[in-house]
């Protein structure tokens, strides 16, 4: 794909994700959406760039904030939105919910509510791909804070040991919930920690989808060709609160948030696409709105289903 | 007395104990500068300083292990686990280390460590953020386990937990956090191991704890209108259990319902059920019923969660069933 | 039929399934080149190659998480946890992830992962290497749990576990590893969920599993000499439970003893006790008794371990007590 | 203390430890000792050197193989041996056993049967020392394999974050049980991994008690004076099996074992002390034997004690 085509694709992808989040936030504010909602405004370049570097049959696991990666993997929107809304037609029949999106057909092996826990799943899928002698790769997305879960360290070591076709994309948004890097990491050089385990590492501007795409493509190519795992530290920022009930201010200065808003990948790519941008945005927003309308009208799960599917 | 929410009462207990004993310190994720995800530690950093109230990384296994070490070395740490669901990443520290140290040391090493956390569903938080896991902590000996059902108990039981020379896990319920009720001003300590009879009754005893105490009271009221007198006992502490109060109530009503939000299998309900039937078999006029979560992970959609988790209707049905057979 | 130890039978099941299905692979600490701490994987690397039998670091949380991912991606992994005590460092993967994935995915993602491990005491291995932790795995829905009491079942149940599309934890007992008995040659599969009546009896039923089946048989024999006829049922699978066999035996003998090595509180014994009394209350002529470990961590010294862990004498006493009151 | 005095102290310490292990192995072989016995033959220089660098009021945690550190901390021998033998007069009244030695008076906060688990305990004791504004330090001893437990990674990060007075002494004996470093570590540079977390690091010949003493003293001094934690990678080798039932051969070549036997710290220090060595050795061995005789004659615990001391 040419750069200009990719630019449009990135923009579409980011606008779509923002539109989905806007709808969800409205529903949540209106009391029409249960539970916590972890949005990723400001971080849209990452799923956009990463998703473009993957094949349909590659694997992805991500966090409670990872719906963007699910969208960017290319599966149909309706079952994803339906699951987030807790509908019977959702990916998980309404059982999983927002934090637990699975879609085997598109290689989505789960967003996950436990910090760090999804890294093992992706490493295992990468292991399977290797043992099956396919050239599939697995991407796992985690936060800066997640590196402090021992599970992640264990998997980093095994990824190197087995030379797994795994990419760990670390969204360094400078905070774990309300705690900044300086109060959670003895050494804030995240790529340096990964390098200590022997991983290939890269650092990237996480607010630049093209840069993310390039560094991901390199890592994906390395993984596909037996070159082993890569850890990517992506600098980014959520310009919104940790979850719907958090203003995002107080533990962060207004200036800091503003400075990062100014680096919004959506705005950057809108500027890049120039006059074409508004029409593209409108198109994506309309498509998302249509899916929400359809999804909202769907029936909820049959209460009788509550006890089923515990076992296969 | 003041009207306080459970969050405020928990905060008050922490303040009371921080002020009382310089060995106490409070730590966990987002607890210091932010004041806690649920505001339980609000203002403590400002009032007690950076040596007493400390933010941690997302490293539950590491920081509970450190709590153990700090307790052995003369401190009285209070660690916050943000959700009890996350205890699972730290189970080895909890059950292989914290729970066993005093015994393995032949009683020579006390472990005055308190862990405060919260659990429970009914909010669409889905399978990994809605659990009640007290049974896992009770299966292996060595931990005390406390679950308040109201603000006064939250304050008094937490104070007792912190003063206890043993590891205590103190579990709030997220549905109760905002619930306001009267809390004694000044020093308030509720000894561990004392159940509380919330409502006297003669036909059947409902043993429960935490959020379900409120549901139980509702069910008891409704049952009364149907001519059934339900005694409601808030267990408050699951280890140690207040066997005296339990036995006295069973020998009075001869019918028992036990209700909790956690899963049935190997849970607290079957545990208490067995203890009652094995020790008071001849006192029982009807099978003991346990109301618990259905055997499925907690689902996200409301239609499903409503089925999986206990409801006042299910508690009522069990109480009436125990009496009418 | 051949005489085989439980270790050999477990090894035979792994061989049978590795040969049968290319998706099966076996991995864990010291399992490949060394052949397993307990020789359970002896010779597998040589016979099936480095893609099928793999050594891991001491990273139970990581490698069980990887088992989950590999199972989701089309493999049928068999992970060895060297001691079940170490499951505690991996509880989040086991209970928050492996057990819940199929349900959270709305049934769309099967998790054909088998975990083989061993537990149990009686060897002076002390508090962190002597535990039976099956109750922790049963409390939260989503895992099947299997505990063979002899070599034939070890082979047949493990084969069934590996063929099952769900996560199954298969728990050997270290005291049984060397125990030899007859094992069917060739393909041998014992379906999960079927208890086995080891000895017919009329006065009292003893439900048990794993190492305590042998103790139960001993107790039954001794009881017979004292005029008490004990039926001994080996539960074999704790989830799913074979309720039919259980109910049939209770309605025959009307007296129940449940025995296991794990701790009492929130254990399998109280679980089964409650299920029996709540469903078959009128069938019971005596309180159900549970024989379990005393409420203390497993101590090192023999004098103490002998008191904490169940013994044939305690099983006998419980059976006689159930009959004579 | 002068070097020559230290040399004698090291030798005594190592001989004592070897003598204790020799007695234990004999008892185990004779079926008079229950459970697994994890010996440390070949690794005696580490406790000898490390113990000499600590004060009585410093803290120590170690592994199932860590009785050497308990001995080297200086407490009386009888209660230690009595505990290993499961006697009522043992440190833990026979409840803990070999893998669970605690002695608050000497700062022993537990040997531990769970790989890696003792690191948190020591980090917490170091934290307490810091919060109490004392200059105590904590030493934790772990194996090479233990670095692959996530718990250890979590603690490494926190040790740096809080600048704890902690020393992590990693006994790199090249194997986790029967599995060599090359099959358990993606990158065998252990100090490098620790450096990735921001720890001060050092590498040392773990078979040289003087070198261990020097590097430990530096780390202890740094910790006492607020300079933060240190990770020490010590190269060593157990010239015996992983536990009493393991020959130590098969997964390791006879040549490899022999090569390391030749580096035995006991032999090196015997040579160093020259003619003085045999008398010192005999003295220590006799003292150990006397303690064993005394301990073996002690009564076992009262069975009634089994249910006590679960709670304080
Ligand atoms: C094991 C565990 N501990 C704590 C939490 C609560 N929690 C949810 S998100 C979060 C912060 C994660 O920070 P980071 O990894 O940087 O990701 P971000 O939210 O910034 O994207 C925490 C502490 C959790 N879900 N799981
Ligand atoms: C969590 C856990 N997993 C596995 C084991 C079993 N185990 C005991 S010792 C050991 C090897 C440890 O190797 P290392 O850390 O290098 O220490 P060494 O024994 O070589 O001194 C293993 C795997 C354990 N005790 N704990
Ligand atoms: Mg973050
Ligand atoms: Mg080693």
């Amino acid at each position: 794909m040419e750069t200009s085509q990719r630019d449009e694709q990135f923009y579409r992808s980011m606008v779509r994700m923002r539109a989905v989040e806007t709808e969800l936030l409205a529903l949540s504010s209106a009391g029409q959406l249960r539970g916590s909602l972890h949005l990723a405004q400001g971080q849209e370049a990452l799923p956009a760039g990463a998703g473009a570097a993957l094949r349909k049959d590659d694997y992805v696991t991500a966090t409670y904030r990872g719906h963007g990666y699910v969208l960017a993997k290319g599966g149909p929107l309706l079952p994803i939105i339906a699951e987030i809304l807790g509908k019977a037609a959702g990916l998980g029949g309404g059982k999983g919910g927002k934090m637990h999106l699975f879609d085997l057909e598109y290689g989505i092996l789960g967003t996950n509510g436990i910090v760090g826990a999804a890294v093992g799943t992706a490493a295992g899928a990468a292991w399977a791909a290797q043992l099956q002698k396919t050239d599939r790769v697995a991407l796992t997305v985690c936060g800066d804070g997640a590196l402090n879960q021992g599970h992640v360290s264990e998997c980093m070591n095994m990824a190197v040991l087995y030379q797994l076709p795994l990419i760990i994309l670390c969204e360094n948004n400078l905070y774990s919930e309300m705690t900044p890097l300086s109060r959670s990491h003895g050494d804030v050089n995240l790529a340096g920690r990964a390098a200590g385990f022997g991983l290939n590492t890269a650092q990237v501007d996480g607010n630049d989808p093209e840069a993310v795409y390039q560094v991901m493509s390199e890592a994906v190519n390395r993984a596909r060709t037996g070159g082993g795992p890569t850890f990517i530290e992506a600098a980014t920022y959520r310009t919104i609160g940790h979850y719907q009930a958090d203003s995002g201010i107080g533990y962060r200065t207004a200036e800091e948030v503003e400075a990062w808003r100014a680096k919004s990948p959506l705005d950057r790519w809108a500027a890049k696409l120039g006059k074409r941008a508004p029409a593209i945005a409108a198109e994506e927003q309309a498509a998302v709105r249509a899916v929400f309308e359809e999804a909202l009208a769907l029936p909820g799960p049959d209460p009788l289903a509550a006890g089923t599917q515990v076992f296969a | 007395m003041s009207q306080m929410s459970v969050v405020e009462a928990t905060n008050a207990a922490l303040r009371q104990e921080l002020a009382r004993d310089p060995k106490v310190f409070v730590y966990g994720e987002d607890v210091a500068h932010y004041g806690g995800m649920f505001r339980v530690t609000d203002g403590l950093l400002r009032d007690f300083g950076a040596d007493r109230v400390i933010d941690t990384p997302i490293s539950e296994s590491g920081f509970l292990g450190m709590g153990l070490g700090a307790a052995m070395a003369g401190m009285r740490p209070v660690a916050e686990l943000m959700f009890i669901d996350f205890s699972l990443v730290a189970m080895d520290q909890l059950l292989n280390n914290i729970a066993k140290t005093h015994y393995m040391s032949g009683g020579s090493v006390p472990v005055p460590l308190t862990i405060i956390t919260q659990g429970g569903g009914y909010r669409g938080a889905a399978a990994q953020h809605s659990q009640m896991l007290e049974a896992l902590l009770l299966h292996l000996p060595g931990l005390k386990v406390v679950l308040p059902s109201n603000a006064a108990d939250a304050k008094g039981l937490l104070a007792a937990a912190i003063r206890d020379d043993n590891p205590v896990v103190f579990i709030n319920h997220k549905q109760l956090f905002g619930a306001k009720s009267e809390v004694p001003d000044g020093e308030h300590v509720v000894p561990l191991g004392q159940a509380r009879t919330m409502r006297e009754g003669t036909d059947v005893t409902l043993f429960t704890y935490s959020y379900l105490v409120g549901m139980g009271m509702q069910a008891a009221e409704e049952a009364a209108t149907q001519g059934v007198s339900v005694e409601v006992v808030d267990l408050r502490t699951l280890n140690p259990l207040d066997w005296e109060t339990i036995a006295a109530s069973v020998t009075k009503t001869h019918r028992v319902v036990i209700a909790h939000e956690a899963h049935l299998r190997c849970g607290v309900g079957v545990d208490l059920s067995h203890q009652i039937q094995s020790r008071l078999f001849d006192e029982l006029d009807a099978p003991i019923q346990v109301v618990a979560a259905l055997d499925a992970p907690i689902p996200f959609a409301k239609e499903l969660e409503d089925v999986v988790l206990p409801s006042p209707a299910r508690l009522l049905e069990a109480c009436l069933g125990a009496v009418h057979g």
Side-chain angles (χ1 to χ4, degrees), chain A residues 10-32:
Chain A
F10 292 148
Y11 188 59
R12 279 193 187 280
S13 176
M14 294 192 292
V15 169
R16 195 179 311 133
M17 183 172 161
R18 176 70 62 97
V20 165
E21 293 203 349
T22 305
E23 298 283 343
L24 290 175
L25 192 52
L27 287 170
S28 178
S29 306
Q32 290 178 276

Side-chain angles (χ1 to χ4, degrees), chain B residues 40-117:
Chain B
V40 162
T41 52
D42 195 27
L44 299 185
L45 173 64
R46 184 193 58 222
D47 297 340
F48 295 94
D51 275 2
R52 312 288 305 282
V53 188
I54 304 174
D55 284 319
T56 67
I58 314 173
S59 303
E60 288 86 356
S61 173
F63 76 60
L64 288 188
M66 287 170 60
L68 169 61
M72 293 165 87
M75 301 297 284
R76 302 187 83 86
V78 181
E80 187 185 70
L81 255 179
M82 197 184 291
F83 285 67
I84 197 168
D85 310 73
F86 313 152
S87 67
L88 296 177
V89 300
M91 268 299 158
D92 177 69
Q93 287 298 324
L94 279 162
L95 297 181
N96 271 336
N97 288 280
I98 293 166
K100 293 180 168 56
T101 288
H102 186 260
Y103 185 80
M104 295 193 301
S105 74
S108 67
V109 182
V111 180
L113 167 66
T114 303
I115 294 158
I116 61 176
T117 186

Side-chain angles (χ1 to χ4, degrees), chain A residues 192-273:
Chain A
R193 186 187 294 187
F197 284 90
L199 283 140
N200 303 298
T201 64
Q203 284 170 306
V204 68
D205 174 358
N207 280 18
D208 178 341
E210 175 68 22
V212 171
Y213 170 76
Q214 292 297 348
V215 74
M216 270 289 298
S217 297
E218 213 174 297
V220 166
N221 185 49
R222 178 182 297 128
R224 276 207 214 295
T225 56
T230 303
F231 178 93
I232 302 172
E233 178 183 348
T236 188
Y237 197 83
R238 56 171 166 69
T239 48
I240 193 166
H242 167 66
Y243 71 126
Q244 83 285 351
D246 165 32
S247 68
I249 293 293
Y251 58 96
R252 311 191 298 187
T253 63
E255 294 75 49
E256 183 178 293
V257 178
E258 267 323 304
W260 279 94
R261 281 231 171 90
K263 298 191 217 171
S264 157
L266 269 92
D267 295 348
R268 274 160 84 179
W269 254 250
K272 216 166 183 184
L273 293 185

Side-chain angles (χ1 to χ4, degrees), chain A residues 34-35 84 86 94-97 99-100 112-114 148-149 176-179 183-184 242-243 300-303 306 310, chain B residues 30 33-34 37 55 57-60 82 86 89 122-126 128-129 295-296 299-305 307:
Chain A
R34 311 183 79 206
I84 296 177
K95 285 176 172 164
M99 289 204 265
H100 308 294
N112 204 310
I114 303 296
N148 295 328
Q149 274 292 309
S176 327
E177 296 192 343
M178 294 73 181
T179 297
R183 279 203 301 279
S184 59
H242 167 66
Y243 71 126
D302 180 348
V310 178
Chain B
D30 303 313
H33 290 79
Y34 186 67
M37 196 47 154
D55 284 319
I58 314 173
S59 303
E60 288 86 356
M82 197 184 291
F86 313 152
V89 300
Y122 300 100
R123 295 166 74 101
Q128 293 176 337
H129 283 75
D295 246 358
F300 169 68
K302 185 161 190 342
E303 294 89 333
L304 303 174
E305 195 187 26
V307 176

Side-chain angles (χ1 to χ4, degrees), chain A residues 43 64-65 142-146 170-177 179 181 185 236 238 242, chain B residues 58:
Chain A
Q43 303 186 185
Y64 43 86
R65 207 186 297 292
C142 70
D144 46 292
C170 180
E171 303 183 322
N172 182 1
N173 62 8
L174 305 177
Y175 291 82
S176 327
E177 296 192 343
T179 297
L181 225 49
H185 290 67
T236 188
R238 56 171 166 69
H242 167 66
Chain B
I58 314 173

